[in-house]
Amino acid sequence: MKTYDLYERAMEPVKNWWMYLLIGVLAFVLGVFMLTNPAITYEMMTLLFGLALVIFGIIQMVVGIFSRNIFVSRAAVLIGAILNIVLGILLAANPGIAALTLPLILGMWMLYQSFMTINYAGDLKSFKVKGYGLTLFCGIVLLILSVLILLRPMTLGMMTVAIYIALSFIIYGLSEIVSAFRLRTIHHVFEE
């Protein structure tokens, strides 16, 4: 890709930035709901997690299909969307069975999201976009939580898993909200 083409694609606003904001708000609200409702059953938590992933996946699919800006990598977004939809359907369709493997599934999902968030923060830094640090921080926290879960997926208690799910949704939501506002104004970086 020529430098001029890269510049032109960077100058184009990310038209669907508000969809990332929607994902972020939904994830944050769901995380707070799960954290403040300790009586929620494990099967209900698995069902909510599955449905949320399907919704996130559908929104990401729309963003991936219609995005033309270089800051929204179509391939990465579409792969993540497909993974979220498939994983969400599996969890929502089998909440009782999935509850047994929920820590492992959660750990792998968080690991993937942490790498995507850290990569995005690196992209922001390389283009000298201010405020990339919060995105990087959220990615690192997700990475730490995912490693903690994956080190002992079957020995975690139900309450620990519930707290990790709630925290991961809150952190993921904050990261998506910050990303949405960065994507909304990212093309201004090149105008300066």
Side-chain angles (χ1 to χ4, degrees), residues 12-20 63 66-69 72 183-184 186-187:
E12 182 177 315
V14 178
K15 294 178 180 121
N16 298 314
W17 66 270
W18 59 272
M19 290 187 164
Y20 283 106
V63 170
F66 294 108
S67 177
R68 296 181 58 137
N69 190 290
V72 179
L183 288 173
R184 181 174 159 239
I186 197 83
H187 62 285

Side-chain angles (χ1 to χ4, degrees), residues 10 12-18 20-21 69 71-72 117 120-121 123-125 127-136 174-190:
E12 182 177 315
V14 178
K15 294 178 180 121
N16 298 314
W17 66 270
W18 59 272
Y20 283 106
L21 180 63
N69 190 290
F71 291 100
V72 179
T117 304
Y120 176 65
D123 290 346
L124 291 176
K125 181 181 179 191
F127 283 97
K128 296 178 177 49
V129 176
K130 295 177 184 174
Y132 70 89
L134 183 57
T135 303
L136 180 62
L174 287 174
S175 172
E176 290 296 302
I177 290 168
V178 169
S179 294
F181 287 111
R182 294 285 177 259
L183 288 173
R184 181 174 159 239
T185 59
I186 197 83
H187 62 285
H188 294 302
V189 170
F190 291 93

